[in-house]
Each structure stands twice: as structure tokens, then as C-alpha cells.
Amino acid sequence: MISRTGLPPRSPWSALSALLHKRSVRLTAIGWLAANVLVLAVAGDALPFDWPAAATRTPVGHLVDANLALAEVLLLTLLTYRLTRGRTPPNLADRAPERSVAARETLFLLLYGAAGLGLGFVLARLAGWHPFGLHLAGSIYGTHDHVSPIESLAWATYNLLVYAVVPLLFFRRRYSAEALNLRSSNRRADSVLIGVVLVIETLVQIAVLAPGIFDLSPGQLALGAPLTFTLYLAGAVLPAMIFIYAILVPRFLRLTGSTAATVILGGLTYTALHIWDAWTVFTSPGNAVLSIVFLLLTYFAPGMFKTVLTVRTGNAWVHVWAYHALAPHTLIDAPHMVHVFHLK
């Protein structure tokens, strides 16, 4: 059997072997293992985080959860490759400018993102709120802290402007919608992929997290679900989509020449934007280490999978609907928004 390239297709095992021989993949595997060891060495009997949704889990239990989540992401990645195997892979590197320009733009974006996090910390603290990161305080894990409606709206507005509106306005003047991964080349195939991934991820979230959305009254659900969807679309989903998956990912691929390295860099960038998650604790070196490690254990794998979806389809919108806006955020965070906005 001959592939479209005129060469015999590689077996899944040979492709996996080639992937494992990549230096970036081996370094990532070592880093993941080191993160697990650090938790066992530093955490002791309990973690210092305010995680009401996972308060009964031990540090070892949290490690098990993180590694199972990584396993799910790897399985979803294999499924994505299977579902897109008949498509001509988009050449995202060609959507980025030539290498020297791509390097300047990438450095500018990373410095701009760091400045956005710094300014978000200062402005939010001056207002007496939690620092503005990619997640609102209480997202996913819950919180015992007070989060007000005005803080929630300010968080969403700040992130939307800083990470989505301003970068999009700047780059859209220079690049086409296709170059920014904003246009589908195969809507039917993208829709199938979105549907399959969304169903699987929703079922996994329900089975593993037992989300409180099912405990809401019909009135709370009717108001809370659209509110959660809209607020998180503005404050988390579109900022990540534009900043990382529309703009940075093609440039990562241009600079590295490696899909594996691009996927890893996408995961690391996604993790970095969550540095101000309200549960992180930086009051001591040990707590700081645990905070950074659990940021990686929590967000690195999902960030990689969002990159995989973008690289395989050339469409940054795919991850929005398949693996971000609806599951987990609307599914998991609707009870939090019902509480924040005092919905009856």
C-alpha cells in the first residue's frame, strides 16, 4: 500500500518509536517523572492548596489523578490522529513569517504575555481581588475565598482585551484569517472531530469529577450555564485561543521545525498563563515548588492536546468547542458562577 506521498505508510509502532527518539519528547518525559518525584519528596501528608472540590485526596491521590489525566490526553491524541489520518495535514509553519520575523514576533508575544500577567497581578491586587490569570479564582477546584460578580466581570474583560482583542487587532492587520488558524479548511471533518472529542471529554469529566451542575435547580441551570459559558469564553477560552493557538503555535512550528516540540511549547505556554491561579501558594520555597509542579501537572497535558487539535486541523476553533468552552468550563464551573452571582 502506498500513501499519498508515494512512500509506504509507517506503522503506528514505527511512528511511536520515532516520536520517542525525539530529544524534546524524552526531556519532557524526564521532566514529568521529576515532577512526580518532587511531589513525593516535598508534599508530606497534605498539599497546601485550597481545593474544596478535591479536599479529601492525598498527595499520592492527586498524582494518580494527574497521571490518569495525562493518559487520557495521550489516548485522545491517538484518536485525533486516527480521525484526521485521511486529511492533508495543514502546513502551519508556512502560515508564519520567515524565521527571523517569527523569532521577533514570538519574543514580543512572550514578553507581552508576561507583562499582561504582571499588570493583571497589580491591578487586581489594588482592587482587592485575586490576581488576573487565565482562570477565575475558584475555577475547576472551587474556593473558600469570596469572589464577587464585579471581580468576575473585571477578570473576563481584562483577559479578553489583553490576550485576545489587542493581539488579534495587531496581527490581523498583517496576516490573513487562514494564517492565524481562524478558518476551517474542512468544516465537516472538524465538526466530526469536535463532536467525538466533546462527547468523550464530557463523559470523562462526569465520571471523574461528578460535577455539581446536576445539583442545580432548573432555574439556576437556565441562568448559570449561559452565564458560565459567556464569562469563561471571554475570560479564558478566547484569550488562550488567540494568544497561543492562533498566533504562537505557527511561529513555534516555524522556529522549531518539529511538531512534537511545538506541542510541548504549546503546553508550557498554556501552563504559564495560569501562574496566578488562586490556589497557588508561594509563601515558602517548598510551597512554591509544589505550586509550580501542580500547575504543570494540571495544565501541561490539556495545553498540549489543544495544540494537537490545532496542528492537525489548522483550525484554532476546534479546541474551543471540543475541549475548552463546554467541557470542562461550562460543565464544571456553572455551580461556581451560580454561587458568585447569587442565582436563585
Side-chain angles (χ1 to χ4, degrees):
M1 180 179 177
I2 303 298
S3 70
R4 293 181 181 180
T5 63
L7 299 174
R10 290 194 300 178
S11 71
W13 292 114
S14 64
L16 179 61
S17 175
L19 183 64
L20 293 177
H21 277 83
K22 292 183 179 295
R23 184 181 181 187
S24 60
V25 174
R26 287 182 290 176
L27 289 175
T28 300
I30 292 171
W32 187 269
L33 178 61
N36 279 260
V37 172
L38 273 173
V39 172
L40 295 176
V42 176
D45 296 328
L47 295 172
F49 311 133
D50 179 24
W51 282 348
T56 61
R57 299 292 282 170
T58 64
V60 173
H62 284 296
L63 280 181
V64 171
D65 293 342
N67 285 283
L68 288 176
L70 175 64
E72 186 216 355
V73 161
L74 295 177
L75 291 174
L76 284 174
T77 297
L78 291 175
L79 177 62
T80 297
Y81 272 77
R82 178 73 178 172
L83 290 174
T84 58
R85 70 191 185 281
R87 299 176 60 170
T88 301
N91 192 338
L92 265 61
D94 284 350
R95 297 181 179 182
E98 58 96 9
R99 207 170 189 278
S100 63
V101 177
R104 289 197 300 271
E105 290 180 345
T106 300
L107 178 60
F108 165 77
L109 280 164
L110 294 177
L111 292 175
Y112 173 82
L117 287 170
L119 182 61
F121 181 96
V122 172
L123 293 179
R125 284 303 195 201
L126 287 174
W129 299 329
H130 300 86
F132 292 153
L134 202 59
H135 273 173
L136 179 66
S139 299
I140 307 297
Y141 291 114
T143 182
H144 291 107
D145 293 346
H146 173 70
V147 180
S148 66
I150 187 63
E151 176 182 348
S152 304
L153 294 170
W155 162 80
T157 302
Y158 179 85
N159 281 359
L160 182 65
L161 288 174
V162 171
Y163 301 108
V165 174
V166 171
L168 184 60
L169 288 175
F170 182 85
F171 281 89
R172 189 64 182 88
R173 294 172 61 187
R174 294 160 173 79
Y175 301 99
S176 67
E178 182 182 32
L180 295 175
N181 299 333
L182 298 176
R183 181 175 295 161
S184 174
S185 62
N186 190 330
R187 292 185 179 181
R188 185 175 183 276
D190 286 350
S191 297
V192 170
L193 180 60
I194 288 168
V196 171
V197 172
L198 177 60
V199 168
I200 292 173
E201 180 62 15
T202 299
L203 292 175
V204 169
Q205 295 283 347
I206 291 172
V208 174
L209 298 179
I213 193 171
F214 300 110
D215 298 325
L216 300 178
S217 69
Q220 289 174 322
L221 187 61
L223 294 173
L227 173 63
T228 305
F229 172 81
T230 303
L231 199 67
Y232 278 86
L233 185 70
V237 179
L238 292 179
M241 171 200 163
I242 298 299
F243 189 76
I244 302 174
Y245 304 103
I247 303 176
L248 275 173
V249 162
R251 285 151 182 80
F252 286 156
L253 193 54
R254 169 67 79 183
L255 293 174
T256 65
S258 166
T259 299
T262 297
V263 168
I264 292 165
L265 289 172
L268 289 174
T269 308
Y270 185 70
T271 301
L273 289 179
H274 292 84
I275 188 69
W276 300 140
D277 266 23
W279 53 264
T280 55
V281 181
F282 296 101
T283 55
S284 70
N287 288 344
V289 167
L290 288 173
S291 295
I292 293 170
V293 166
F294 270 96
L295 283 169
L296 287 165
L297 293 176
T298 302
Y299 297 118
F300 177 60
M304 286 199 301
F305 184 57
K306 291 174 172 65
T307 311
V308 167
L309 290 172
T310 304
V311 168
R312 292 298 294 178
T313 64
N315 182 4
W317 287 103
V318 170
H319 97 268
V320 167
W321 310 122
Y323 194 76
H324 207 178
L326 300 172
H329 281 308
T330 301
L331 180 66
I332 302 301
D333 289 313
H336 182 43
M337 290 299 95
V338 166
H339 174 74
V340 168
F341 284 85
H342 310 291
L343 302 180
K344 304 297 183 184

